[in-house]
Amino acid sequence: MMWKHTAKKGFLVFLLVILAVIPFVEPDEPLFVKASEEITQDDFPEDAPLEDKLSAILSDELLDGAVTGVSIKHAESGDMLFSQNPDTRLHPASNMKLLTAVSALETLGKNYRFTTEVLTDGRQRGKVLHGDLYLKGKGDPTLLKEDFDQFAKDLKEEGIHKIKGDLIGDDTWYDDVRLSQDLNWSDEPFYTGAQISALTLSPNNDYDAGTVIVEVTPSNKARGKAEVRVTPETDYVTIDNKTEMVSEDEEKDISIEREHGTNTIIVEGTMPVGGSNSRSWVSVWEPTGYALDVFKTSLEDEGIRFIGKSRETFAKTPDDAKLLTSKQSMPLEKLLIPFMKLSNNGHGEVLTKEMGKFVHDEGSWEEGLEVMEDVITGLGVNEDTILLRDGSGMSHKNMIPSKDLAQLLYEAQNKEWFDAFQYSLPVAGEPDRIVGGTLRYRMTSEPAKGNVIAKTGSLTGVSTLSGYVTTSDDEPLIFSIMINNYLGSSGDIRDIEDEIATTLAKHEF
């Protein structure tokens, strides 16, 4: 019965090992940790290796079934300090805007400005302009109603009171493809999927070009309909008000959505007396016509009217047309603030087309994406590992590994425009939306607050965060976190991203 003797001997050895370990265990600490208990970086001492802390966070069961790519680099040496699936191609969501911003800065320059022009092919006789008036767009996504008002004032100061001709919108600076190739039709009515035109208009200084703001306010009586207002005022869209006023103790439930393929905006639901306003940015169908309609209103408000059989139409401005007035946009480095801080999708697509126009004289997604690929591969991104489909990140077909995003952020530091690029990124925990941007409500405590500077990204099943952070012992780091195929709540997945970034901020090497 040799096996009995061997078993007894083994059991005695096991007891001796246990007795040897027990004295070194704190009396209020359990000897064994259940496998089901979550282990986080807080379970490690401060001097634990970074790899152990991050591996513990990434072992969270919330990530089961998801695909996570993480790359952490030292910002000065470029050494990879930690990685998980760094070569796996993943969807970047709005981290795609990092590629677009870098490419635009490198291609166009931080001082680049868009131009909008008002021209004519006619002649002025007295107070009458005999000929057509052209509003020529060259991609500016920051045009406001007040800019059109100024154009009208400029014409009035030139002595023009009447126009015997047509009002013509010229959007030929870009092609006539309005939506990127992978945009879901269900996204198109909303500001996140607004159509792209070289001649467009924004309702306020968030600069969501190609949209109107629809605001629903309560009336004073618990009957009839709520009041609906559109900014800027325009007849280009039609409001179908199906709302119902209810008593103040009833629930507010308001829906605002444009009917697909039309400019009919359906507003429906219940609004209680004394209830809070509801407001939504709604994209328009065909933004060139929208801009032209608002410009005509500006002309009429200034007392300039059309005479004869005038009409509103679209055409290319003749080469010999005379310039009457114009406006330049803010420089690119300032445009990057709403683009990156507020994650403005339209700006990403406009910049993509503008790069195509600038380099290849064709304002299209195809040519713009070719420019972007050339720029980022020149900054260390492997062209064999990426797929670029748009400039905003709305496409679920964009692909890039976290290693390449981290490399792009590393190489960007050596460019003369880097300060403008870094300044455009959201800053964790900073409540001012033009500083904190999409990170203003995240990581609101030190050492992450004001320290983590990064671009967020979110699509269905996708969450990303990539940027810069400094450790507690002043070591500058670059990180890229990409999580795909996740089916839980977006809040939970962002908590994991924030925990990783906060761990980097706390870490000492």
Side-chain angles (χ1 to χ4, degrees), residues 47 73 122 128 136 167 214 232 252 358 439 442 481 490 501:
D47 59 351
K73 294 174 76 77
V128 180
K136 183 173 183 177
L167 178 60
V214 179
K252 183 181 83 167
F358 185 83
L439 281 179
R442 295 172 59 176
I481 308 163
S490 58

Side-chain angles (χ1 to χ4, degrees), residues 30 32-40 43 59:
F32 300 105
V33 178
K34 295 179 181 178
S36 61
E37 290 184 4
E38 181 182 347
I39 303 174
T40 71
D43 297 315
S59 68

Side-chain angles (χ1 to χ4, degrees), residues 421-450:
F421 171 68
Q422 187 179 43
Y423 186 73
S424 75
L425 298 176
V427 182
E430 294 296 333
D432 186 335
R433 67 195 295 268
I434 301 301
V435 178
T438 53
L439 281 179
R440 62 190 180 277
Y441 301 127
R442 295 172 59 176
M443 294 176 276
T444 56
S445 300
E446 295 181 350
K449 179 182 179 181

Side-chain angles (χ1 to χ4, degrees), residues 267-331:
V267 184
E268 56 187 346
T270 55
M271 170 66 78
V273 173
S276 59
N277 296 353
S278 288
R279 185 168 60 166
S280 182
W281 278 251
V282 182
S283 70
V284 300
W285 187 269
E286 186 47 69
T288 300
Y290 164 46
L292 206 60
D293 181 79
V294 174
F295 181 43
K296 185 176 183 182
T297 299
S298 295
L299 292 170
E300 292 170 347
D301 290 345
E302 193 60 33
I304 300 174
R305 61 188 181 91
F306 289 81
I307 58 177
K309 295 181 179 180
S310 65
R311 60 196 176 106
E312 297 171 45
T313 187
F314 313 115
K316 189 178 187 323
T317 306
D319 292 337
D320 60 352
K322 176 186 176 183
L323 179 67
L324 298 174
T325 185
S326 65
K327 175 188 179 291
Q328 285 196 320
S329 72
M330 64 185 72

Side-chain angles (χ1 to χ4, degrees), residues 30-79:
L31 180 59
F32 300 105
V33 178
K34 295 179 181 178
S36 61
E37 290 184 4
E38 181 182 347
I39 303 174
T40 71
Q41 58 97 10
D42 290 332
D43 297 315
F44 292 95
E46 291 184 1
D47 59 351
L50 181 63
E51 182 175 2
D52 292 352
K53 296 177 183 178
L54 297 183
S55 295
I57 298 170
L58 291 167
S59 68
D60 194 309
E61 62 183 13
L62 289 171
L63 295 175
D64 291 351
V67 181
T68 304
V70 178
S71 295
I72 314 294
K73 294 174 76 77
H74 195 280
E76 291 179 350
S77 68
D79 294 338

Side-chain angles (χ1 to χ4, degrees), residues 219-233:
S219 62
N220 296 325
K221 297 181 180 179
R223 58 186 175 83
K225 297 180 178 181
E227 298 177 4
V228 181
R229 183 166 64 94
V230 176
T231 302
E233 293 184 9

